[in-house]
Amino acid sequence: MAMPCPCGRTTAKGQPLALEACCGLYHAGQAAPDAESLMRSRYSAFVLGDVPYLLATWHNSQRPAELTLETGGQWLGLEIKQHRMTGADTAEVEFVARFRVGGKAVRQHERSRFVREDGRWFYVDGDEL
């Protein structure tokens, strides 16, 4: 059985999409078609510990030199609240990511900003809500 995509996207019938048919496409190099798809693929990369993908999809104006993911956390789900274009090549995605670390439930509510350059979307930054 194929691994369901961590981002939680489903088919029209409500069945979970397989990782290979969803965020796995972007992790393998295909350009995300929109900011929401990039946001979902970045969430999946956090779940899977794919640091190279996270760095590659972070806009170079804000990208950290290195990224160390917290270990021992358990990702519990992603909810997209809103996705809107703010310009021809800019967008915002409001989301809630839930995870548990050290037995404590954490809810990260953020409005993230994205920019499209040369046909590829990049995460720029975000505001905690």
Side-chain angles (χ1 to χ4, degrees), residues 58-75:
W58 212 314
H59 192 262
N60 61 11
S61 67
Q62 301 288 327
R63 182 185 308 131
E66 59 184 53
L67 179 64
T68 304
L69 300 181
E70 202 165 336
T71 58
Q74 178 188 7
W75 292 90

PDB file of all heavy atoms in Angstrom, residues 58-75:
ATOM      1  N   TRP A  58      13.064  27.681  -0.052  1.00  0.00           N
ATOM      2  CA  TRP A  58      13.076  28.894   0.765  1.00  0.00           C
ATOM      3  C   TRP A  58      13.701  29.990  -0.096  1.00  0.00           C
ATOM      4  O   TRP A  58      14.780  29.793  -0.661  1.00  0.00           O
ATOM      5  CB  TRP A  58      13.957  28.670   1.983  1.00  0.00           C
ATOM      6  CG  TRP A  58      13.563  29.391   3.230  1.00  0.00           C
ATOM      7  CD1 TRP A  58      13.209  30.692   3.358  1.00  0.00           C
ATOM      8  CD2 TRP A  58      13.523  28.837   4.549  1.00  0.00           C
ATOM      9  NE1 TRP A  58      12.952  30.982   4.661  1.00  0.00           N
ATOM     10  CE2 TRP A  58      13.132  29.854   5.414  1.00  0.00           C
ATOM     11  CE3 TRP A  58      13.793  27.568   5.067  1.00  0.00           C
ATOM     12  CZ2 TRP A  58      13.000  29.673   6.786  1.00  0.00           C
ATOM     13  CZ3 TRP A  58      13.658  27.381   6.425  1.00  0.00           C
ATOM     14  CH2 TRP A  58      13.268  28.417   7.278  1.00  0.00           C
ATOM     15  N   HIS A  59      13.045  31.134  -0.210  1.00  0.00           N
ATOM     16  CA  HIS A  59      13.577  32.213  -1.055  1.00  0.00           C
ATOM     17  C   HIS A  59      14.963  32.625  -0.564  1.00  0.00           C
ATOM     18  O   HIS A  59      15.196  32.731   0.641  1.00  0.00           O
ATOM     19  CB  HIS A  59      12.629  33.420  -1.049  1.00  0.00           C
ATOM     20  CG  HIS A  59      12.962  34.403  -2.100  1.00  0.00           C
ATOM     21  ND1 HIS A  59      13.710  35.530  -1.847  1.00  0.00           N
ATOM     22  CD2 HIS A  59      12.676  34.419  -3.423  1.00  0.00           C
ATOM     23  CE1 HIS A  59      13.867  36.200  -2.976  1.00  0.00           C
ATOM     24  NE2 HIS A  59      13.233  35.558  -3.947  1.00  0.00           N
ATOM     25  N   ASN A  60      15.874  32.835  -1.511  1.00  0.00           N
ATOM     26  CA  ASN A  60      17.275  33.119  -1.126  1.00  0.00           C
ATOM     27  C   ASN A  60      17.438  34.388  -0.296  1.00  0.00           C
ATOM     28  O   ASN A  60      18.431  34.535   0.399  1.00  0.00           O
ATOM     29  CB  ASN A  60      18.190  33.125  -2.357  1.00  0.00           C
ATOM     30  CG  ASN A  60      17.807  34.179  -3.374  1.00  0.00           C
ATOM     31  OD1 ASN A  60      16.997  35.051  -3.103  1.00  0.00           O
ATOM     32  ND2 ASN A  60      18.377  34.075  -4.559  1.00  0.00           N
ATOM     33  N   SER A  61      16.461  35.296  -0.313  1.00  0.00           N
ATOM     34  CA  SER A  61      16.554  36.522   0.502  1.00  0.00           C
ATOM     35  C   SER A  61      16.349  36.236   1.990  1.00  0.00           C
ATOM     36  O   SER A  61      16.743  37.042   2.836  1.00  0.00           O
ATOM     37  CB  SER A  61      15.523  37.558   0.033  1.00  0.00           C
ATOM     38  OG  SER A  61      14.201  37.107   0.306  1.00  0.00           O
ATOM     39  N   GLN A  62      15.731  35.104   2.314  1.00  0.00           N
ATOM     40  CA  GLN A  62      15.404  34.769   3.708  1.00  0.00           C
ATOM     41  C   GLN A  62      15.956  33.416   4.155  1.00  0.00           C
ATOM     42  O   GLN A  62      15.851  33.061   5.323  1.00  0.00           O
ATOM     43  CB  GLN A  62      13.873  34.730   3.886  1.00  0.00           C
ATOM     44  CG  GLN A  62      13.162  36.017   3.557  1.00  0.00           C
ATOM     45  CD  GLN A  62      13.413  37.093   4.583  1.00  0.00           C
ATOM     46  OE1 GLN A  62      13.580  36.819   5.765  1.00  0.00           O
ATOM     47  NE2 GLN A  62      13.457  38.334   4.145  1.00  0.00           N
ATOM     48  N   ARG A  63      16.519  32.646   3.237  1.00  0.00           N
ATOM     49  CA  ARG A  63      16.951  31.278   3.518  1.00  0.00           C
ATOM     50  C   ARG A  63      18.056  31.259   4.566  1.00  0.00           C
ATOM     51  O   ARG A  63      19.069  31.938   4.430  1.00  0.00           O
ATOM     52  CB  ARG A  63      17.452  30.625   2.231  1.00  0.00           C
ATOM     53  CG  ARG A  63      17.890  29.174   2.407  1.00  0.00           C
ATOM     54  CD  ARG A  63      18.490  28.602   1.124  1.00  0.00           C
ATOM     55  NE  ARG A  63      17.607  28.804  -0.017  1.00  0.00           N
ATOM     56  CZ  ARG A  63      18.004  29.308  -1.184  1.00  0.00           C
ATOM     57  NH1 ARG A  63      19.251  29.646  -1.384  1.00  0.00           N
ATOM     58  NH2 ARG A  63      17.137  29.454  -2.165  1.00  0.00           N
ATOM     59  N   PRO A  64      17.888  30.434   5.606  1.00  0.00           N
ATOM     60  CA  PRO A  64      18.975  30.303   6.591  1.00  0.00           C
ATOM     61  C   PRO A  64      20.143  29.522   5.980  1.00  0.00           C
ATOM     62  O   PRO A  64      19.956  28.766   5.029  1.00  0.00           O
ATOM     63  CB  PRO A  64      18.325  29.518   7.729  1.00  0.00           C
ATOM     64  CG  PRO A  64      17.192  28.771   7.104  1.00  0.00           C
ATOM     65  CD  PRO A  64      16.730  29.596   5.932  1.00  0.00           C
ATOM     66  N   ALA A  65      21.321  29.723   6.521  1.00  0.00           N
ATOM     67  CA  ALA A  65      22.515  29.016   6.035  1.00  0.00           C
ATOM     68  C   ALA A  65      22.381  27.514   6.261  1.00  0.00           C
ATOM     69  O   ALA A  65      22.863  26.708   5.476  1.00  0.00           O
ATOM     70  CB  ALA A  65      23.764  29.553   6.729  1.00  0.00           C
ATOM     71  N   GLU A  66      21.736  27.152   7.352  1.00  0.00           N
ATOM     72  CA  GLU A  66      21.489  25.736   7.641  1.00  0.00           C
ATOM     73  C   GLU A  66      20.199  25.621   8.416  1.00  0.00           C
ATOM     74  O   GLU A  66      19.702  26.601   8.978  1.00  0.00           O
ATOM     75  CB  GLU A  66      22.654  25.108   8.400  1.00  0.00           C
ATOM     76  CG  GLU A  66      22.978  25.765   9.725  1.00  0.00           C
ATOM     77  CD  GLU A  66      24.202  25.152  10.384  1.00  0.00           C
ATOM     78  OE1 GLU A  66      25.248  25.082   9.723  1.00  0.00           O
ATOM     79  OE2 GLU A  66      24.080  24.752  11.554  1.00  0.00           O
ATOM     80  N   LEU A  67      19.651  24.423   8.440  1.00  0.00           N
ATOM     81  CA  LEU A  67      18.385  24.172   9.105  1.00  0.00           C
ATOM     82  C   LEU A  67      18.496  22.855   9.856  1.00  0.00           C
ATOM     83  O   LEU A  67      18.861  21.838   9.276  1.00  0.00           O
ATOM     84  CB  LEU A  67      17.261  24.099   8.061  1.00  0.00           C
ATOM     85  CG  LEU A  67      15.853  23.815   8.565  1.00  0.00           C
ATOM     86  CD1 LEU A  67      15.359  24.944   9.467  1.00  0.00           C
ATOM     87  CD2 LEU A  67      14.908  23.641   7.378  1.00  0.00           C
ATOM     88  N   THR A  68      18.211  22.897  11.136  1.00  0.00           N
ATOM     89  CA  THR A  68      18.209  21.692  11.960  1.00  0.00           C
ATOM     90  C   THR A  68      16.790  21.483  12.456  1.00  0.00           C
ATOM     91  O   THR A  68      16.217  22.370  13.100  1.00  0.00           O
ATOM     92  CB  THR A  68      19.169  21.852  13.159  1.00  0.00           C
ATOM     93  OG1 THR A  68      20.467  22.173  12.661  1.00  0.00           O
ATOM     94  CG2 THR A  68      19.235  20.581  13.976  1.00  0.00           C
ATOM     95  N   LEU A  69      16.233  20.340  12.125  1.00  0.00           N
ATOM     96  CA  LEU A  69      14.870  20.034  12.553  1.00  0.00           C
ATOM     97  C   LEU A  69      14.885  19.439  13.954  1.00  0.00           C
ATOM     98  O   LEU A  69      15.780  18.683  14.299  1.00  0.00           O
ATOM     99  CB  LEU A  69      14.215  19.059  11.576  1.00  0.00           C
ATOM    100  CG  LEU A  69      14.106  19.535  10.133  1.00  0.00           C
ATOM    101  CD1 LEU A  69      13.407  18.476   9.290  1.00  0.00           C
ATOM    102  CD2 LEU A  69      13.369  20.860  10.047  1.00  0.00           C
ATOM    103  N   GLU A  70      13.872  19.806  14.718  1.00  0.00           N
ATOM    104  CA  GLU A  70      13.713  19.260  16.062  1.00  0.00           C
ATOM    105  C   GLU A  70      13.407  17.765  15.955  1.00  0.00           C
ATOM    106  O   GLU A  70      12.567  17.360  15.156  1.00  0.00           O
ATOM    107  CB  GLU A  70      12.560  19.989  16.761  1.00  0.00           C
ATOM    108  CG  GLU A  70      12.617  19.903  18.252  1.00  0.00           C
ATOM    109  CD  GLU A  70      11.698  20.903  18.926  1.00  0.00           C
ATOM    110  OE1 GLU A  70      11.361  21.932  18.323  1.00  0.00           O
ATOM    111  OE2 GLU A  70      11.333  20.628  20.078  1.00  0.00           O
ATOM    112  N   THR A  71      14.097  16.970  16.722  1.00  0.00           N
ATOM    113  CA  THR A  71      13.862  15.532  16.672  1.00  0.00           C
ATOM    114  C   THR A  71      12.857  15.124  17.744  1.00  0.00           C
ATOM    115  O   THR A  71      12.670  15.831  18.732  1.00  0.00           O
ATOM    116  CB  THR A  71      15.173  14.740  16.864  1.00  0.00           C
ATOM    117  OG1 THR A  71      15.743  15.122  18.110  1.00  0.00           O
ATOM    118  CG2 THR A  71      16.151  15.010  15.738  1.00  0.00           C
ATOM    119  N   GLY A  72      12.235  13.998  17.532  1.00  0.00           N
ATOM    120  CA  GLY A  72      11.307  13.467  18.527  1.00  0.00           C
ATOM    121  C   GLY A  72       9.911  14.043  18.450  1.00  0.00           C
ATOM    122  O   GLY A  72       9.061  13.694  19.249  1.00  0.00           O
ATOM    123  N   GLY A  73       9.667  14.931  17.503  1.00  0.00           N
ATOM    124  CA  GLY A  73       8.326  15.493  17.360  1.00  0.00           C
ATOM    125  C   GLY A  73       7.449  14.574  16.528  1.00  0.00           C
ATOM    126  O   GLY A  73       7.937  13.764  15.745  1.00  0.00           O
ATOM    127  N   GLN A  74       6.152  14.699  16.713  1.00  0.00           N
ATOM    128  CA  GLN A  74       5.198  13.916  15.932  1.00  0.00           C
ATOM    129  C   GLN A  74       4.244  14.892  15.263  1.00  0.00           C
ATOM    130  O   GLN A  74       3.545  15.653  15.937  1.00  0.00           O
ATOM    131  CB  GLN A  74       4.425  12.964  16.848  1.00  0.00           C
ATOM    132  CG  GLN A  74       3.385  12.150  16.107  1.00  0.00           C
ATOM    133  CD  GLN A  74       2.495  11.370  17.048  1.00  0.00           C
ATOM    134  OE1 GLN A  74       2.549  11.512  18.270  1.00  0.00           O
ATOM    135  NE2 GLN A  74       1.639  10.545  16.479  1.00  0.00           N
ATOM    136  N   TRP A  75       4.243  14.888  13.944  1.00  0.00           N
ATOM    137  CA  TRP A  75       3.358  15.772  13.184  1.00  0.00           C
ATOM    138  C   TRP A  75       1.964  15.180  13.157  1.00  0.00           C
ATOM    139  O   TRP A  75       1.782  13.997  12.902  1.00  0.00           O
ATOM    140  CB  TRP A  75       3.908  15.970  11.776  1.00  0.00           C
ATOM    141  CG  TRP A  75       5.179  16.747  11.800  1.00  0.00           C
ATOM    142  CD1 TRP A  75       6.444  16.244  11.898  1.00  0.00           C
ATOM    143  CD2 TRP A  75       5.330  18.158  11.783  1.00  0.00           C
ATOM    144  NE1 TRP A  75       7.363  17.265  11.930  1.00  0.00           N
ATOM    145  CE2 TRP A  75       6.706  18.457  11.854  1.00  0.00           C
ATOM    146  CE3 TRP A  75       4.429  19.223  11.703  1.00  0.00           C
ATOM    147  CZ2 TRP A  75       7.200  19.763  11.855  1.00  0.00           C
ATOM    148  CZ3 TRP A  75       4.914  20.516  11.703  1.00  0.00           C
ATOM    149  CH2 TRP A  75       6.286  20.777  11.777  1.00  0.00           C
TER     150      TRP A  75
END
